[in-house]
Amino acid sequence: MKPITKLQEIVDHLREKKIKKRVAVAWAQDQNTIGALAQAVHEGFVEAIMIGDQSQIEQTSSQEQIDPTIFTIIHCPTDVEATKKAVEMVRNDQADILMKGLVGTDKFLKAVLDKEKGLLPEKAVMSYVAAIELPKYPKLLFVTDTAVIPYPDLNQKIAMLKYAVEMAKKFGIEIPKVALIGSSEKVAPNQQYTVDYAMMCKMVDRGQLPKCIIDGPLDVFLACDPESVTIKGVPTPINGEADVLLFPSLEACNSFYKGLMLFGGGELAGLIQGTIKPVVVMSRSESPKSKFYCVSLACLMA
């Protein structure tokens, strides 16, 4: 498989392979979600199951000049009921992907994390991986964790690594280059994340983790800019060509990716990882284009 280097190429791949997945959307009456799902249905890789207030879904669709009959609409009078129904359908194999609509993230994740009826296996680590397209980077950049784990411990970092490598390989990258990001390239015993990084590098060397080219700690320049590698004179197998950036904290990763979106012209597709099936969680204010790419990513990973 030729590596996917642009988000639009996900869509091209899904159409070429004739992949079609069922997406259950919780509280589905907002215009951006409806717009994104309508586009995915039009492209032919999604069957959209819109769960929420039927009259509002139909009304919003009509306002957006979208025929509501392209969707399967299931009426639920409240956001909590709609979310529970969507999770239930995914859990019971009536849908392949769960997506958050207008419902608040707290209510949505409460249903996902329900120990008896949710989608996260016992002892599994839930994390978030984003694929970011940037005008000044020659390929997609996979970044983790942008949204879930505040300060990941070693076991959580290992899970984050596994999820990111798995996603990169779905994009046709056979041996991803993984940069473990820090403020410098030095291991410091008083900074636990750098010690964790050193352990992870050794675990990859010994075949205890998925096959990848890994190094860290590295700063972003050494991870993503070949010229900086030459200037700094730091030998690294990443060589400024990272596919994956793994960050030591949510604060660092979240600020990094939002900076790329705001100042770097970035476009993003992201996904919850660790659940039994893909879960799409985005801000209610995200554009239809961003939501469309997230749905496309979920279909690729399902």
Side-chain angles (χ1 to χ4, degrees):
M1 173 182 171
K2 181 182 177 182
I4 294 171
T5 60
K6 304 286 185 183
L7 294 178
Q8 179 60 38
E9 292 174 12
I10 304 174
V11 180
D12 299 337
H13 175 78
L14 294 173
R15 289 188 304 199
E16 179 186 343
K17 298 297 182 181
K18 294 181 170 49
I19 294 170
K20 190 170 186 177
K21 301 295 180 180
R22 300 162 297 171
V23 181
V25 186
W27 209 229
Q29 53 259 40
D30 66 291
Q31 64 183 32
N32 287 352
T33 297
I34 287 172
L37 270 296
Q39 185 178 355
V41 170
H42 175 72
E43 295 284 0
F45 59 84
V46 156
E47 176 187 332
I49 305 166
M50 313 296 272
I51 306 171
D53 187 301
Q54 182 169 354
S55 63
Q56 289 190 30
I57 293 171
E58 292 173 344
Q59 181 180 352
T60 303
S61 297
S62 298
Q63 289 172 349
E64 296 298 306
Q65 297 184 326
I66 294 167
D67 180 0
T69 63
I70 67 172
F71 304 130
T72 298
I73 300 175
I74 298 177
H75 178 71
C76 281
T78 70
D79 55 356
V80 172
E81 290 179 72
T83 303
K84 287 182 178 179
K85 179 63 176 177
V87 171
E88 176 188 312
M89 291 189 72
V90 173
R91 185 179 175 91
N92 293 337
D93 291 325
Q94 295 171 298
D96 307 297
I97 295 162
L98 175 67
M99 182 175 179
K100 184 177 87 71
L102 197 58
V103 62
T105 301
D106 55 343
K107 294 178 182 178
F108 182 81
L109 290 181
K110 183 179 179 181
V112 172
L113 298 174
D114 186 285
K115 292 183 178 180
E116 294 182 0
K117 300 179 180 180
L119 302 178
L120 188 70
E122 187 177 358
K123 297 183 179 180
V125 174
M126 188 170 75
S127 182
Y128 196 96
V129 184
I132 302 176
E133 181 179 328
L134 295 162
K136 293 187 177 181
Y137 204 63
K139 54 186 175 179
L140 292 172
L141 194 59
F142 299 88
V143 180
T144 187
D145 177 317
T146 63
V148 178
I149 309 173
Y151 296 98
D153 59 23
L154 176 60
N155 288 333
Q156 290 169 324
K157 289 188 186 78
I158 288 171
M160 289 160 58
L161 172 69
K162 290 179 177 178
Y163 298 148
V165 169
E166 177 191 7
M167 184 179 289
K169 289 185 176 181
K170 282 279 191 176
F171 279 70
I173 304 168
E174 293 184 10
I175 306 178
K177 289 187 173 182
V178 180
L180 307 173
I181 299 299
S183 57
S184 78
E185 68 277 5
K186 296 178 181 179
V187 175
N190 64 335
Q191 293 180 299
Q192 183 59 45
Y193 78 88
T194 68
V195 178
D196 291 348
Y197 286 173
M199 294 175 67
M200 292 167 70
C201 291
K202 181 55 67 176
M203 291 174 75
V204 170
D205 287 344
R206 294 183 174 177
Q208 294 174 263
L209 294 177
K211 187 175 182 180
C212 61
I213 297 169
I214 189 170
D215 197 15
L218 297 173
D219 68 13
V220 172
F221 285 107
L222 291 172
C224 299
D225 180 29
E227 186 177 348
S228 292
V229 176
T230 301
I231 293 171
K232 284 195 164 190
V234 177
T236 170
I238 304 302
N239 199 36
E241 300 172 337
D243 297 297
V244 176
L245 303 184
L246 187 149
F247 282 79
S249 71
L250 186 150
E251 282 83 355
C253 192
N254 187 274
S255 298
F256 174 79
Y257 105 83
K258 286 180 177 175
L260 294 180
M261 299 298 106
L262 183 59
F263 300 114
E267 192 66 59
L268 172 146
L271 199 63
I272 288 282
Q273 299 277 267
T275 47
I276 58 175
K277 290 185 179 178
V279 176
V280 178
V281 181
M282 299 189 71
S283 168
R284 286 167 283 183
S285 61
E286 289 282 359
S287 69
K289 185 176 182 181
S290 294
K291 292 191 175 186
F292 171 71
Y293 281 138
C294 284
V295 172
S296 305
L297 171 62
C299 290
L300 179 68
M301 298 298 296

